[in-house]
Amino acid sequence: MIERTSENNVVNGNVIPVTLDANFFFERAVRSLDRFQYDKALKNFRKAVEYEPENPVNHCNMAGILSEMGKYEDSNDILTHVLDEIDPTMTECHFYMANNYANMENFEEAERSLVTYLQEDASGEFLAESEELMELLQYELNRPAPLVRIRSREGVVEHDRARSLLEEGKFPQAVKLLEEIVQNIPDFLAAHNNLALAYFYMGRFAKAKECLGEVLKQDPGNLHALCNMAIFLQYAGDQDQLAGLVRMLEATVPFHQEHVFKMATTMGILGKHQTAYGHFRRLLKDEEVGGDAGLYHYCAAAASNSGLHTEAIRCWQMASRLDPESAVPKFFLSQMQLAQSEGRPLPPVSYNYQLPFQEQLKQWKNNTDSFTEEVQNNPLLRASFFWALRYGDASTKLQVTEALRWIEDDEISDVLKGVSEQEPLQEAALLSLQRLIGGSPEESVVQRAVQEPVVSSHKGPPEWKEDWQRIIDHMAAVMDRRLDAAQKRDAELLWKQFIARLYPDVPLFRHAEGWCAALEYLTAKLHGHPVTYREAAQHYGVSVSMVSRYARRIHQACGLMQDGAAADILPPFTENI
């Protein structure tokens, strides 16, 4: 018979001390948890808190049990008490609270707590779990989280922003941000590499090489820096240094997917197409990226430029099957077959996954002389224009006829005369012919930019809904002081074209201000006005990421061809983490 007292046990006259402290009740709570006895576990954790009220771990254990029992509000009350009264540095409490809020379907508060955790936690203990929760919240809220930085991965968020700026062609902004990163984190080599690229794109070649020198000083085998240096040396015409570096790169077999792609694209730029082909072939065997039509085009371009015509045809055929809507593989297959029937090689093929004339259309308005010379001297480019006039959709034909009006060429004039007999291209072709003899009529920017003409066979919604009109009205009111009547008209035209493209699967537009900002941004770009996502976002009080995402959705749905950031993407040379 064992007689128990509050402080000790007595067995046969022998005293066995039992210390009733926080550890005693903690162990009992753990045993109860192992048996899924949550009520008993909670009772014992409460006793542990009574013995050590200033120990935040005891409180967090109690909050964890309450969360397991579905009492999320009670759990968050305890976690808030820990942060406010006991230990404000216990940042994991914010992560626990984010999970509780998510379970309560209070996604806004869950996002706030998760962002706070990522921005304040130095250890990154729950970083992987946070990424999963972030994906869930982005899906539920239909927008990315307003995350400025991740403290445990110092500089990573800022670096991602800088890479986006580079890809949008906003080089001064990217340089400013990257300079801050490398100053604060000198061993962040990816930021050094991308800063070198930003300097290079701005024409500051000495600074670009200086950045790469810093990277290679810290890591002599850094593949991104070596590839970038090779491109810089080729641009500078330094063949002596370039030859040795290229020999070393050709003998290198990268392992990581990103490094393989970097090497492949670099070899293509340097004209080492057979080496590029070998690396692209390796990427095609990677299950993660091997089903990408663009990658098959890169491989086909490398094969064609290497004289491996059978392999090029096979890759373009695969690209056509993977992306049946794209005209790119169909065009190059037709040109390859024509070249083979005439017993001649295909002219050099660009690695960009687009028709040759699409690359030039982005530049022709700013430099018509260079555009004219390129069309006259590049047979593949010239063929792509004629091919687009024959096989392209209505909007492509409209874009091509407008561009070709700048080329004073008998063959092109004959082609435009033939096109002028087609509907609905008659007006555009006649306008182009009029330009050749001195005319300069005007037309809507949106009519030129959207893939189909405004008057088209595309069936839109049978009735215009009030929610859709509200976005037009709100946008017109906000943009009243910045854009003129023609630009407002084009913004409304673009919105109606967007709705027509989505119909009948038009979603509920929950964030009207975001759609308004995206429309104003795209309209300004179409009219050649300098504008940034941030400026458009500030006008409507929304996030930059929301404007960017909505603008890209409109851009993709309507197929805009423009000179703005929504259409221009730099070659894939920037470095990830």
Side-chain angles (χ1 to χ4, degrees):
M1 182 74 178
I2 300 176
E3 181 181 353
R4 185 181 299 275
T5 67
S6 62
E7 296 296 335
N8 53 61
N9 291 339
V10 179
V11 180
N12 296 328
N14 296 321
V15 177
I16 303 175
V18 176
T19 304
L20 299 182
D21 58 9
N23 287 334
F24 173 81
F25 289 104
F26 172 83
E27 291 173 1
R28 288 171 63 93
V30 171
R31 287 197 295 272
S32 298
L33 276 178
D34 290 339
R35 301 184 181 96
F36 301 102
Q37 297 171 335
Y38 293 121
D39 288 335
K40 288 186 177 181
L42 178 61
K43 180 180 178 181
N44 283 290
F45 276 132
R46 288 190 190 278
K47 291 295 291 182
V49 168
E50 290 177 12
Y51 276 92
E52 291 184 358
E54 299 303 316
N55 186 340
V57 176
N58 294 331
H59 291 269
C60 286
N61 288 330
M62 189 164 60
I65 291 294
L66 289 169
S67 182
E68 289 290 334
M69 297 172 69
K71 299 180 179 180
Y72 305 117
E73 292 186 2
D74 293 339
S75 175
N76 277 353
D77 287 342
I78 293 174
L79 294 169
T80 301
H81 173 72
V82 171
L83 290 169
D84 292 345
E85 306 295 337
I86 301 176
D87 187 0
T89 66
M90 201 164 183
T91 53
E92 58 264 42
C93 289
H94 293 292
F95 175 75
Y96 303 144
M97 292 172 69
N99 281 276
N100 284 336
Y101 282 126
N103 286 320
M104 294 160 62
E105 297 189 0
N106 188 345
F107 300 116
E108 294 281 356
E109 285 299 315
E111 180 188 67
R112 183 186 63 79
S113 295
L114 185 60
V115 168
T116 301
Y117 166 72
L118 291 170
Q119 291 180 346
E120 294 185 2
D121 184 74
S123 66
E125 180 182 358
F126 298 106
L127 190 58
E129 295 86 348
S130 295
E131 291 176 354
E132 294 179 3
L133 181 55
M134 189 71 75
E135 290 181 6
L136 169 67
L137 297 177
Q138 287 184 6
Y139 174 79
E140 294 292 346
L141 296 171
N142 194 29
R143 59 172 171 77
L147 187 62
V148 177
R149 70 187 182 101
I150 299 177
R151 186 178 177 188
S152 61
R153 300 176 66 196
E154 193 68 41
V156 172
V157 175
E158 295 91 335
H159 181 253
D160 286 343
R161 284 175 51 210
R163 289 181 64 245
S164 297
L165 290 170
L166 270 178
E167 291 167 358
E168 293 174 7
K170 299 174 181 177
F171 307 128
Q173 298 96 314
V175 165
K176 181 179 179 181
L177 187 53
L178 289 165
E179 285 178 339
E180 292 176 1
I181 294 172
V182 299
Q183 182 177 359
N184 296 330
I185 316 172
D187 59 350
F188 199 155
L189 299 186
H192 280 282
N193 273 326
N194 286 329
L195 179 57
L197 286 174
Y199 283 140
F200 176 74
Y201 292 138
M202 293 176 66
R204 300 171 64 181
F205 306 124
K207 290 289 291 182
K209 291 182 68 174
E210 181 182 330
C211 280
L212 293 185
E214 180 62 32
V215 175
L216 294 172
K217 180 180 178 181
Q218 297 186 49
D219 180 11
N222 188 284
L223 186 65
H224 277 274
L226 292 171
C227 288
N228 290 340
M229 183 66 80
I231 295 170
F232 294 177
L233 291 173
Q234 175 175 270
Y235 188 86
D238 192 341
Q239 296 301 320
D240 292 336
Q241 288 192 53
L242 178 62
L245 181 53
V246 169
R247 283 194 297 271
M248 183 184 71
L249 289 175
E250 286 186 300
T252 301
V253 182
F255 175 75
H256 295 291
Q257 179 193 107
E258 181 186 348
H259 288 168
V260 177
F261 189 75
K262 177 73 175 184
M263 182 71 83
T265 54
T266 300
M267 290 294 107
I269 293 170
L270 297 176
K272 302 297 180 179
H273 302 296
Q274 196 151 356
T275 304
Y277 171 72
H279 291 305
F280 282 127
R281 281 291 303 273
R282 288 181 60 202
L283 285 171
L284 290 177
K285 298 176 182 178
D286 189 323
E287 293 182 359
E288 186 177 342
V289 295
D292 180 63
L295 184 57
Y296 273 97
H297 170 74
Y298 304 149
C299 194
S304 176
N305 294 337
S306 302
L308 304 173
H309 300 148
T310 302
E311 284 300 308
I313 290 173
R314 185 187 67 81
C315 288
W316 274 318
Q317 288 174 338
M318 181 60 73
S320 184
R321 285 196 288 270
L322 291 170
D323 188 8
E325 300 299 320
S326 174
V328 176
K330 297 181 179 68
F331 167 73
F332 284 106
L333 279 171
S334 69
Q335 292 301 304
M336 178 65 79
Q337 293 165 358
L338 178 63
Q340 289 183 329
S341 67
E342 296 177 355
R344 60 174 174 81
L346 194 68
V349 177
S350 169
Y351 285 88
N352 288 331
Y353 186 50
Q354 54 188 4
L355 295 175
F357 80 85
Q358 291 174 320
E359 298 178 45
Q360 291 296 319
L361 282 180
K362 296 177 184 179
Q363 306 172 20
W364 70 270
K365 286 186 179 181
N366 295 327
N367 193 344
T368 55
D369 291 338
S370 174
F371 171 75
T372 299
E373 182 180 351
E374 187 69 21
V375 173
Q376 291 174 337
N377 296 329
N378 186 329
L380 195 60
L381 172 60
R382 192 179 183 90
S384 74
F385 275 106
F386 295 155
W387 189 90
L389 285 173
R390 183 176 180 182
Y391 298 106
D393 59 22
S395 115
T396 299
K397 293 177 181 179
L398 284 171
Q399 295 161 7
V400 169
T401 53
E402 181 179 353
L404 290 181
R405 73 186 190 183
W406 297 92
I407 313 296
E408 298 182 2
D409 182 298
D410 291 339
E411 182 183 13
I412 290 177
S413 295
D414 291 340
V415 170
L416 289 175
K417 288 175 184 177
V419 173
S420 68
E421 299 174 0
Q422 304 176 26
E423 294 289 352
L425 300 175
Q426 184 177 29
E427 182 180 358
L430 290 174
L431 291 173
S432 298
L433 286 170
Q434 184 178 354
R435 164 65 183 82
L436 289 176
I437 61 174
S440 58
E442 294 182 357
E443 58 181 314
S444 166
V445 170
V446 170
Q447 290 180 25
R448 294 198 302 264
V450 176
Q451 278 190 351
E452 293 179 359
V454 177
V455 180
S456 76
S457 60
H458 186 84
K459 293 184 179 180
E463 61 177 347
W464 190 253
K465 293 187 177 181
E466 183 179 346
D467 289 344
W468 304 342
Q469 184 62 38
R470 188 179 298 115
I471 289 178
I472 293 176
D473 296 340
H474 181 61
M475 175 186 59
V478 175
M479 69 195 300
D480 184 60
R481 297 179 300 278
R482 291 184 299 279
L483 302 183
D484 58 28
Q487 292 157 2
K488 292 179 185 177
R489 179 199 64 205
D490 279 341
E492 180 175 349
L493 192 61
L494 181 57
W495 180 244
K496 290 180 177 179
Q497 187 76 19
F498 177 58
I499 296 294
R501 289 297 180 86
L502 295 181
Y503 187 82
D505 300 319
V506 182
L508 176 65
F509 299 109
R510 292 191 298 170
H511 304 289
E513 291 80 4
W515 290 105
C516 292
L519 281 170
E520 180 172 335
Y521 171 84
L522 289 174
T523 303
K525 284 292 185 181
L526 289 169
H527 280 267
H529 297 314
V531 64
T532 64
Y533 289 131
R534 185 173 300 280
E535 291 169 347
Q538 289 173 346
H539 293 154
Y540 294 87
V542 295
S543 67
V544 174
S545 59
M546 181 182 292
V547 180
S548 172
R549 187 170 72 258
Y550 288 175
R552 289 181 185 277
R553 283 192 62 184
I554 298 172
H555 167 66
Q556 291 167 0
C558 296
L560 301 180
M561 289 296 296
Q562 64 191 64
D563 297 331
D568 291 340
I569 299 296
L570 291 171
F573 302 144
T574 57
E575 182 181 355
N576 294 314
I577 301 302

